Amino acid sequence: MDKIRITGGQQLNGDIEISGAKNAALPLMVAAILTDQPLVLNRVPELQDVLSLNELLEELGVSAKYDGVAKKLTLHGAKITSTEAPYEFVRKMRASILVLGPLVARMGVAKVSLPGGCAIGTRPVDLHIEGLKRLGAEIELNEGYILAKAPNGLVGAPIHFTKVSVGATENLMMAAALAKGTTVLTNAAREPEIVDLGECLIKMGAEIEGLGTDRITIHGKQYLRGTEHSVIADRIEAGTFAVAAAMTGGKVTLKHCEMQHLEYLTQPFHKAGVDILSSGTDVTVERKRDRLRGFDIMTEPYPGFPTDLQAQMMSMLTIAEGAGMITETIFENRFMHVPELARMGADITVHGSSALVRGVAKLKGAPVMATDLRASVSLILAGLVAEGQTSVSRIYHLDRGYEDLVGKLTKVGAKLERMHDKEEAA
Ligand code: UD1
């Protein structure tokens, strides 16, 4: 298995190009199920999760052609040949559950594996299921599969989510776009990735109001057409590089991203003594003090602080002056990076869903292990400022969500390399 070896202590300076957002690309790809015409997506990042979802879509009969140079993905579901998403696909990637709504909406039937255990808590799919029931689907759970049927089509209805869920909002928005009549989603998620999906659905002919608010109204259509759409910038990738710049010092400009999707960084960065300023689609990050200062954050649904940047902010706090508190309210078990950061000398105490981080003057390089996507990148960030060498193993987690991480960091002055097991043995 591959590892990344980092030699800490380099300041980062220069420009980093931000990729298209993984979490926007995945639901947009699933939207291809809703039409028999081609859906062309631009700025699709070359990531393991994208490849895995392509495989699942192909299994369903949607052809997928990816041009890695142009980052253009053409999906075409002229005919859906299977309505089953098997466990082997869903297990690899939870977002596969998103095919449930679109399949029932177009085909009147779907069989989708339950996602099963997940490293960051139980992560149920009850909101997806309850929502589809409200649209008239009959649902059975059998042998680890969700069986959904709506032979006469889905019918629009009011759906109130008891908890804010990104995936459930996306699933139901897509299903409702092909349902008869009007659906009103309340307590809906407001993430920019949902707005992006909604805007693509509108180009496909859907009628949707209230995107970006917690009340989304969808007037269903009998038919949706193909279109071409560009994926928004990855705000989590941008946030990760912003933290890298803040931790290492130097001045880094993130190219082609949206400051309005990064507002939650302004306050903690200000407290930490880091400037984050935008000009057009550039966001420049520069540390203004020798040493960062402590800050507190609590994860919340958008526009609150994203759980997908929690581990990175914890890395930042490990070297700050003073202490900081991180409270995770979205997922359970999302502090798996804590013992690994502790191996590098971090001082962190976890009490339930909160972690108190007392900054240390220096982290020390160590062999550490990635446990999930965002946890693994927090270890890379720690390695960038640690004394000596850090090697991060199990980096397949990183390949799921960061496009060319090593290349992008190297370009701004970091010292890190990807090693195959054989090279390491040599
Ligand atoms: C998406 C993102 C993920 C991010 C998360 C929260 C994608 C592909 N993934 O995941 O990177 O960390 O949003 O911002 O976009 N829940 C239920 N029942 C459900 C569904 C969710 O209880 O039916 C709970 C979850 O366990 C969790 C919370 O709701 O505690 C939020 O989860 P959700 O927003 O659904 O996350 P995902 O869409 O899976």
Side-chain angles (χ1 to χ4, degrees), residues 22-24 26-27 49 93-95 97-98 120-129 163-170 189 191 193 235-236 300-302 306-308 329-332 334 373-374 400:
K22 167 180 91 76
N23 285 354
L26 298 176
D49 271 10
M93 193 186 36
R94 229 189 98 82
I97 187 77
L98 293 178
I120 53 173
T122 44
R123 297 183 83 167
V125 289
D126 55 315
L127 300 169
H128 301 244
I129 293 175
K163 190 169 183 178
V164 181
S165 160
V166 174
T169 303
E170 292 166 343
E191 269 68 2
E193 293 76 17
R235 63 194 171 98
I236 304 301
E300 284 175 318
Y302 192 84
T307 174
D308 288 351
T329 73
I330 308 290
F331 291 116
E332 23 171 323
R334 216 180 193 182
L373 171 55
R374 307 304 171 185
R400 288 190 42 214

